[in-house]
Amino acid sequence: MDCSREIEGKSVHDPYCNWPNNKIQRSQRCVWIPGPVIVGAGPSGLAVAACLKEKGLPSLVLERSNCIASLWQLKTYNRLRLHLPKQFCELPLMSFPLEFPTYPTKQQFIHYLESYAKRFDIRPVFNQTVLCAEYDQNLGFWRVRAAGLKDEECEYVCRRLIVATGENAAEVVPQIEGMEEFGGTIMHTSKYKSGEVFEGKKILVVGCGNSGMEVCLDLCNNNASPSLVVRDTVHILPQEMLGRSTFGLSMWLLKWLPIRLVDRFLLVLSWLILGDTGRYGLNRPRVGPLELKNLSGKTPVLDVGTLAKIKSGDITVCFNLSICTNNVTFILLCHHLLQCLFRCIQRF
């Protein structure tokens, strides 16, 4: 019996197998994938697909949106730049163009990712939302069920599954008392593009992570009056120290020194460059920025100009207001959103 007939014979008894040349096929809704299935066509998914292809291994990338890097293309604000130097953000096997600045813009980063996908001939299947993935212990296959735009479902069967959906793919909108009665604009940052539409308005930004701080800066630059709600402690570091990026300097020091000593060094330099941030309601955690990142995943804020606006009074900090159920996620709100919030910050 030749190889093709052997495969055909085995597939008769395998309900999950849909070999391309098999004459006895199951429903077209079940597709056999000879290589890994990768969920997510963001930077991580593209990088994995490129590395596999470089080793001669085919893969299939499933993406729920209609483009690669959908978080960058559809859910980020216009002024966004990489907060880290480009050499720390490039994907394997392909560097950024030499003419790109140290901190590429959103548009430049998207262009880089599109060029990357083109170079390695990565062709994701778009508009495929993965509903569930189950591993069949008996057959040794993954069964990945996905739905298209018209809710038509397809099951992909493979031996390996790689999940590259990211950690910020889904926004979290906390329920705040009074939101239903509020007649103004309530916006999550995934919908925020530019402060131009808020010119002359008072805005309340809930959350002081990197996005919240930069949105406040963008609002200021567009003649809005933002107030920033700070519920928790936060590490704010300058984007660059001693002529080098803070991230690059940290990674270099960690090669030689323990993490706690590096944290102390960063905090001393930050105090010399930025001053005491606690004076403005931005108190630091007791644990250092790098150790805190390792323990909790909380990323320090790299200041790109927001702190100067806070010092000048252009941005008002409202601290110790516990109104958000998730301090990582924030909502952009009109300043007079809730009467209870307004009373809390009226004194500012």
Side-chain angles (χ1 to χ4, degrees):
M1 182 185 296
D2 63 20
C3 178
S4 61
R5 292 193 63 187
E6 181 181 356
I7 291 175
E8 181 178 331
K10 288 182 177 180
S11 65
V12 172
H13 305 287
D14 187 350
Y16 301 111
C17 185
N18 184 23
W19 303 96
N21 297 320
N22 189 5
K23 297 178 182 178
I24 305 177
Q25 293 189 359
R26 193 175 175 259
S27 169
Q28 292 182 354
R29 294 175 179 273
C30 182
V31 181
W32 163 253
I33 306 299
V37 168
I38 302 172
V39 183
S44 295
L46 296 177
V48 172
C51 290
L52 289 172
K53 177 159 288 191
E54 195 72 4
K55 298 294 183 180
L57 300 173
S59 63
L60 177 72
V61 181
L62 300 179
E63 169 57 46
R64 66 178 179 179
S65 297
N66 61 355
C67 60
I68 65 169
S70 60
L71 185 63
W72 278 85
Q73 297 213 49
L74 307 176
K75 296 185 177 183
T76 52
Y77 40 90
N78 296 340
R79 64 157 285 135
L80 179 63
R81 286 177 173 265
L82 291 180
H83 284 185
L84 305 181
K86 60 184 179 181
Q87 64 266 28
F88 296 108
C89 301
E90 63 187 26
L91 302 188
L93 308 174
M94 178 176 159
S95 300
F96 278 95
L98 293 176
E99 64 271 16
F100 276 24
T102 303
Y103 302 97
T105 64
K106 164 185 172 178
Q107 291 73 21
Q108 288 172 327
F109 186 56
I110 293 172
H111 174 75
Y112 166 75
L113 294 178
E114 290 176 338
S115 300
Y116 189 87
K118 183 177 181 180
R119 173 175 173 176
F120 294 100
D121 194 29
I122 303 171
R123 302 179 183 181
V125 181
F126 295 116
N127 300 312
Q128 288 289 296
T129 301
V130 173
L131 303 175
C132 69
E134 297 178 334
Y135 185 72
D136 193 312
Q137 295 282 358
N138 296 325
L139 296 175
F141 291 134
W142 279 96
R143 299 165 57 191
V144 182
R145 188 158 56 90
L149 288 177
K150 298 180 180 179
D151 293 329
E152 69 278 12
E153 293 187 7
C154 179
E155 186 175 72
Y156 300 92
V157 180
C158 59
R159 293 191 180 275
R160 300 288 185 269
L161 174 66
I162 300 171
V163 180
T165 53
E167 58 180 349
N168 300 311
E171 61 268 17
V172 178
V173 182
Q175 290 301 312
I176 303 174
E177 184 180 355
M179 289 178 67
E180 296 79 8
E181 292 78 24
F182 176 64
T185 301
I186 301 176
M187 180 187 295
H188 189 272
T189 44
S190 59
K191 304 294 190 296
Y192 179 90
K193 296 302 178 184
S194 171
E196 294 179 355
V197 296
F198 298 102
E199 182 178 359
K201 296 182 180 180
K202 295 181 179 180
I203 309 296
L204 183 66
V205 178
V206 181
C208 61
N210 279 293
S211 295
M213 296 286 272
E214 192 163 2
V215 165
C216 279
L217 178 62
D218 187 55
L219 289 166
C220 274
N221 292 340
N222 284 280
N223 300 316
S225 300
S227 295
L228 179 66
V229 171
V230 180
R231 185 183 70 166
D232 206 352
T233 53
V234 59
H235 276 303
I236 300 179
L237 306 177
Q239 192 174 35
E240 295 188 344
M241 296 178 173
L242 304 177
R244 299 182 60 177
S245 73
T246 299
F247 180 81
L249 180 62
S250 302
M251 295 302 101
W252 182 78
L253 290 173
L254 286 173
K255 294 179 180 179
W256 316 101
L257 301 173
I259 189 170
R260 291 192 177 183
L261 193 55
V262 176
D263 271 340
R264 291 181 182 180
F265 178 76
L266 294 177
L267 290 175
V268 169
L269 281 183
S270 296
W271 185 84
L272 292 174
I273 297 172
L274 302 177
D276 181 13
T277 58
R279 294 176 54 191
Y280 307 99
L282 302 168
N283 298 308
R284 294 188 182 276
R286 293 183 179 181
V287 180
L290 300 181
E291 188 176 4
L292 184 64
K293 173 65 175 176
N294 281 349
L295 293 174
S296 67
K298 186 174 182 180
T299 304
V301 173
L302 295 178
D303 180 55
V304 293
T306 308
L307 191 59
K309 295 291 186 180
I310 292 174
K311 292 178 178 180
S312 67
D314 292 324
I315 298 174
T316 300
V317 175
C318 312
F319 50 92
N320 294 330
L321 294 182
S322 298
I323 64 168
C324 183
T325 59
N326 185 338
N327 63 343
V328 177
T329 307
F330 71 95
I331 308 175
L332 181 69
L333 310 165
C334 286
H335 184 63
H336 53 287
L337 167 62
L338 307 172
Q339 292 183 356
C340 62
L341 287 179
F342 184 75
R343 286 197 296 269
C344 291
I345 63 176
Q346 221 173 10
R347 61 181 182 274
F348 296 99

